[in-house]
């Protein structure tokens, strides 16, 4: 290559090429800048719109929760308070009933036992009764006090069976039969013995 060719090549690389690049950049840089600006503006606008949509959605959900959930929460709270109040009242009522001192009118005392009749006096009255006097009526038998087993004319009366007592009733006086009947009705009320005495006294 000649010296002129080398000189032209150097001029192209060192002079004309930079001048051309500078002119190209001068013409194209505003276009690229505008492109970049518009692209960035569109991206920022899209992001801003998404953020606004998210804020609006969150606000709508919050308003729905306040308007709908508030009464529900209040209702649940009121129900819980009512249940707690009822349970407290039942507990306090039960404690009041347990701590209440019973009045004297509420007591149901068992009646005092009737005084036992004087057996000696009853036996003396039975002995003084006339032999022909009939005592077969149930009223007289009920009113007469029961004599003691030791005063009966049948020895060891409580140790005898009904059939053994029936065998010993024959030949007894009316007063003695009445005493046996009164004692039997007051204690064991064995029908065999009572029926036999009824036959003998009728």
């Amino acid at each position: 290559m000649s010296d002129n060719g080398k000189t032209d090549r150097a001029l192209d690389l060192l002079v004309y090429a930079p001048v051309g690049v500078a002119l190209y950049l001068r013409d194209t840089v505003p276009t690229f800048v505008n492109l970049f600006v518009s692209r960035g503006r569109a991206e920022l606008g899209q992001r801003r719109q998404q953020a606004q949509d998210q804020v609006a959605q969150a606000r709508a959900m919050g308003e729905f929760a306040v308007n709908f959930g508030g009464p529900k929460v209040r209702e649940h709270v009121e129900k819980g308070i009512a249940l707690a109040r009822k349970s407290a009242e039942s507990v306090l009522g039960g404690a009041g009933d347990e701590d209440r001192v019973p009045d004297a009118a509420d007591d149901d005392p068992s009646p005092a036992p009737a005084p036992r009749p004087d057996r000696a006096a009853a036996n003396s009255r039975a002995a003084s009764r006339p032999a022909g006097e009939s005592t077969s009526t149930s009223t007289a038998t009920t009113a007469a006090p029961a004599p003691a087993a030791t005063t009966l004319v049948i020895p060891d009366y409580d140790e005898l069976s009904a059939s053994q007592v029936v065998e010993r009733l024959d030949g007894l006086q009316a007063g003695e039969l009445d005493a046996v009947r009164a004692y039997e009705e007051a204690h064991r009320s064995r029908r065999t013995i009572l029926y036999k005495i009824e036959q003998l006294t009728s």
Side-chain angles (χ1 to χ4, degrees):
M1 179 179 288
S2 62
D3 293 336
N4 292 330
K6 292 181 179 178
T7 303
D8 294 337
R9 181 67 177 172
L11 288 174
D12 292 338
L13 295 174
L14 298 176
V15 177
Y16 298 122
V19 172
V21 169
L23 294 174
Y24 177 78
L25 292 176
R26 186 192 66 179
D27 296 336
T28 58
V29 163
T31 304
F32 284 110
V33 170
N34 292 332
L35 179 63
F36 294 152
V37 169
S38 61
R39 177 66 182 274
R41 184 176 298 169
E43 186 69 21
L44 290 178
Q46 184 178 0
R47 296 295 178 86
R48 186 181 296 111
Q49 185 65 33
Q50 290 179 355
Q52 291 178 354
D53 293 341
Q54 291 178 356
V55 171
Q57 184 177 3
R59 182 179 299 172
M61 292 179 64
E63 292 177 354
F64 177 78
V66 171
N67 295 331
F68 180 75
K72 292 293 184 181
V73 172
R74 183 180 303 171
E75 182 179 356
H76 285 297
V77 171
E78 291 177 353
K79 286 183 178 179
I81 293 174
L83 291 175
R85 183 179 301 170
K86 288 182 179 178
S87 61
E89 290 177 354
S90 62
V91 170
L92 293 177
D97 293 338
E98 292 177 357
D99 296 338
R100 185 176 65 89
V101 178
D103 297 334
D106 295 338
D107 295 337
D108 188 13
S110 58
R116 300 182 64 179
D118 190 356
R119 292 180 178 177
N123 292 334
S124 63
R125 286 196 298 270
S128 62
R129 185 181 303 161
E133 184 179 355
S134 175
T135 58
S136 61
T137 58
S138 59
T139 306
T141 302
T142 306
T150 56
T151 61
L152 299 178
V153 295
I154 301 175
D156 299 329
Y157 184 86
D158 290 332
E159 304 298 330
L160 300 176
S161 64
S163 59
Q164 291 173 341
V165 173
V166 169
E167 293 175 355
R168 289 167 172 76
L169 292 177
D170 293 330
L172 296 181
Q173 300 293 329
E176 296 170 345
L177 291 174
D178 290 339
V180 173
R181 174 165 44 195
Y183 182 83
E184 186 65 32
E185 288 178 347
H187 293 84
R188 301 173 68 177
S189 296
R190 289 175 287 188
R191 295 183 178 180
T192 305
I193 299 173
L194 296 177
Y195 180 70
K196 182 63 176 179
I197 294 173
E198 187 69 23
Q199 287 181 343
L200 294 174
T201 56
S202 60

